Amino acid sequence: MVDKPQMREVPVREAIGMMLPHDMTQILPGEFKGRLFKKGHVVTEADIEPLLSIGKEHIYVLEMPEGFIHEEEAGIRIAKAVSGGGLTLTEPYEGKVSMKASRTGLAKINEEAVHALNALDGIAFSTMYGDQVVHPGHTLAATRIIPLIMEEKRIIELEELAKQFDGPIVQVKLFQEKRIGLVTTGGEVFSGRIADKFGPAIRNKVEALGSEVVEQRFAPDDKEMIEKEINAFLEQGVDMILVTGGMSVDPDDRTPGAIAGVGAEVVRYGTPMLPGSMLMVAYKGDIPILGLPGAVMHEKFTSFDVFLPRILAGERIEAADMTRLGYGGLRKG
């Protein structure tokens, strides 16, 4: 059971070395109103005159039992225990410490670890969903303890538990700069009867994450010609190949067969997310080859937008990743 911290009123000149239980506010009429000292501040000799200047002849101080630490120190230590690369920590505010992105990248959150740490009594550790694109200043997580003070040994227990997980619990993974080949299929586009809309949409998404579509090739609804263009990109040594068009169940749609036909290992064709259910993910060795659903042309967020950032962060997509998109994957009714 956590002992309650004791409040005691003391003359301000006798408060050196004692902790303030709340913020101290300074008001200079017409000039300034704000925090002079924050909650948890330990009074020093240099603080006496500023405290007297705001009319504090006596102040309340916080006395903690032996072996306990204040909520602000606890919050900082928890944040440091869970944080990895690409994060900056805020100063404690009312005991809470936030972890913010210091770079653009992919938010990685160890969900199992989050649950394990929150199972410890008195811990509040809250995060965003992982595998989302974040930019500098984006808050990924925040933490604090529930009581005002806590036994230090319980924070040590948390720090030791955090070390048991593989890698940081919260981090921002950098995107890799990848060279991407784009194959656009369909007789209507190949013949010029309609304008290509895939190319601009794909380029915008890829470039926003720091990669480049190095070339776009066109093919009719012909399996061998689509295979030829895919193989051309494989010979060029691109890092990723995207194939658009021909991903539905129409008899003349040839893209899925062409991707399999170049010897790629198909992870899965189809995913339960809507929009974007007709996505195919395959690999030729380490080169990802994706067959993109038509929704990519006109929808802001599809299954492609779920997996593109992960691939650009160097991750390999597994079948289980695709099947799990059903829960929470209804983005358009």
Side-chain angles (χ1 to χ4, degrees):
M1 182 176 179
V2 177
D3 291 351
K4 292 183 178 180
Q6 301 298 314
M7 304 289 186
R8 181 162 64 93
E9 184 181 19
V10 298
V12 70
R13 296 183 188 279
E14 298 177 13
I16 296 173
M18 299 180 182
M19 184 179 291
L20 299 177
H22 53 76
D23 289 351
M24 290 288 185
T25 301
Q26 182 180 42
I27 302 175
L28 301 175
E31 296 181 30
F32 173 79
K33 179 180 179 181
R35 187 169 64 182
L36 179 62
F37 297 111
K38 66 179 182 179
K39 178 173 66 173
H41 177 75
V42 176
V43 179
T44 67
E45 186 173 355
D47 300 331
I48 301 304
E49 285 303 320
L51 287 167
L52 290 170
S53 73
I54 61 171
K56 298 296 183 182
E57 294 285 345
H58 294 77
I59 60 173
Y60 281 99
V61 295
L62 181 67
E63 293 185 331
M64 291 192 296
E66 178 107 12
F68 281 69
I69 61 174
H70 186 260
E71 62 176 355
E72 296 201 346
E73 181 185 346
I76 292 170
R77 287 178 61 171
I78 297 169
K80 288 181 176 179
V82 302
S83 295
L87 296 174
T88 57
L89 308 184
T90 65
E91 288 189 8
Y93 180 73
E94 296 182 345
K96 181 183 75 174
V97 177
S98 296
M99 289 145 267
K100 295 180 177 289
S102 60
R103 63 194 184 194
T104 295
L106 186 69
K108 298 302 295 185
I109 314 288
N110 186 325
E111 182 181 353
E112 179 187 358
V114 173
H115 296 319
L117 267 57
N118 280 316
L120 300 175
D121 188 40
I123 302 299
F125 175 34
S126 180
T127 76
M128 65 181 291
Y129 286 117
D131 291 330
Q132 298 186 68
V133 177
V134 294
H135 301 284
H138 194 128
T139 301
L140 280 73
T143 188
R144 63 169 300 155
I145 59 172
I146 302 302
L148 182 61
I149 65 172
M150 178 175 282
E151 291 170 291
E152 184 179 18
K153 67 180 182 181
R154 293 169 59 192
I155 299 300
I156 294 173
E157 177 188 359
L158 180 146
E159 291 167 332
E160 292 302 314
L161 177 60
K163 293 176 184 177
Q164 296 177 20
F165 293 93
D166 185 21
I169 295 171
V170 183
Q171 65 176 314
V172 178
K173 290 182 69 174
L174 283 171
F175 293 125
Q176 303 168 359
E177 295 183 15
K178 291 187 179 291
R179 300 172 64 255
I180 298 173
L182 176 59
V183 180
T184 296
T185 73
E188 67 282 10
V189 177
F190 183 77
S191 66
R193 284 194 297 272
I194 67 170
D196 166 53
K197 295 183 179 180
F198 272 112
I202 298 301
R203 282 189 173 87
N204 287 339
K205 292 177 184 294
V206 164
E207 291 172 3
L209 301 179
S211 287
E212 176 190 10
V213 175
V214 294
E215 185 182 354
Q216 182 177 12
R217 293 170 171 260
F218 295 88
D221 292 306
D222 180 283
K223 180 174 177 288
E224 291 185 358
M225 293 187 70
I226 298 171
E227 289 177 8
K228 176 183 175 183
E229 302 302 348
I230 295 174
N231 280 320
F233 280 128
L234 289 171
E235 291 170 6
Q236 283 185 30
V238 298
D239 302 307
M240 182 179 183
I241 300 172
L242 304 176
V243 189
T244 67
M247 289 299 299
S248 71
V249 293
D250 293 340
D252 59 348
D253 284 339
R254 301 288 189 261
T255 299
I259 292 174
V262 300
E265 176 189 353
V266 176
V267 175
R268 182 179 167 111
Y269 174 28
T271 185
M273 180 174 171
L274 297 169
S277 60
M278 305 306 289
L279 178 75
M280 173 183 271
V281 175
Y283 285 86
K284 176 74 171 181
D286 293 328
I287 308 301
I289 305 176
L290 272 61
L292 305 188
V296 171
M297 281 190 294
H298 51 81
E299 296 290 349
K300 184 176 180 180
F301 194 86
T302 71
S303 55
F304 174 57
D305 299 282
V306 173
F307 294 122
L308 177 64
R310 292 187 58 186
I311 293 171
L312 296 183
E315 298 185 1
R316 190 179 181 102
I317 306 305
E318 306 289 347
D321 297 319
M322 301 180 72
T323 60
R324 279 196 290 262
L325 286 189
Y327 182 70
L330 182 60
R331 301 299 183 99
K332 185 176 181 180

